[in-house]
Amino acid sequence: MTKLKVFLNCEIATYAWEKLKKKNEETEAVKKARLRVLAKSFENLSMDENESVFEFHAKICDILNESYAIGKAYEEMFAQWSYMAKRVKELQDLNKALDDSKIELEEKLKCMTIKLCSKDSEIYKLTAELVRAKQPLSYISLGIDALN
């Protein structure tokens, strides 16, 4: 049955579209074309600056799952996917290590801030004591000047 006959046998355009989709979905040429599109999207795949590692990994999985859904695993794509999956895992591990370091540094900063506040308080107290200790000395120097 030709494509024109498929259209003529359908009363509504959506039914025609569904029949054409179903008829062409199984052809080898359509599968190859879809795989080429997937391969190109995989080649052009890049991680956006604001994108998380998990979101990027999801993009890779979407492309791979779609290639399997077509019925063929694109071997080169799978090899690249394996490489990318390893890189994603490395990035996840690095991200966790950075998070751990950040938490550790925040704790150290908190401790240092507390120590600094304590030292500031000690300096304030010592300054007040020094001012009190200097007052009698100023009277003594006035008295010595008066004697001379």
Side-chain angles (χ1 to χ4, degrees), residues 42 64 74-86:
F42 192 83
L64 186 64
Y74 197 70
E75 291 180 26
E76 185 177 319
M77 187 186 301
F78 183 74
Q80 290 176 351
W81 178 83
S82 296
Y83 170 76
M84 294 300 288
K86 288 177 189 173

Side-chain angles (χ1 to χ4, degrees), residues 10 43 63 67 69 75 81 85 98 115 129 131 142:
C10 294
E43 290 169 9
I63 293 171
S67 73
E75 291 180 26
W81 178 83
L98 288 172
K115 286 179 182 178
E129 287 178 24
V131 168
L142 288 175

Side-chain angles (χ1 to χ4, degrees), residues 106-123:
E106 286 172 344
E107 287 296 318
K108 285 181 180 179
L109 179 62
K110 187 177 178 182
C111 289
M112 292 175 82
T113 303
I114 291 170
K115 286 179 182 178
L116 181 61
C117 288
S118 171
K119 296 298 180 188
D120 282 347
S121 175
E122 287 179 37
I123 290 171

Side-chain angles (χ1 to χ4, degrees), residues 17-66:
W17 174 248
E18 290 301 319
K19 282 192 175 187
L20 274 174
K21 241 173 55 175
K22 189 173 183 178
K23 183 176 183 333
N24 289 322
E25 198 168 53
E26 302 300 319
T27 65
E28 194 63 29
V30 172
K31 285 181 181 180
K32 285 181 182 178
R34 286 176 62 195
L35 283 171
R36 280 193 299 272
V37 169
L38 286 172
K40 191 66 176 171
S41 64
F42 192 83
E43 290 169 9
N44 295 332
L45 189 63
S46 65
M47 188 170 177
D48 297 331
E49 194 171 308
N50 297 330
E51 187 173 36
S52 72
V53 172
F54 300 107
E55 291 168 335
F56 183 67
H57 185 258
K59 278 187 193 177
I60 295 170
C61 289
D62 288 345
I63 293 171
L64 186 64
N65 288 337
E66 192 172 339

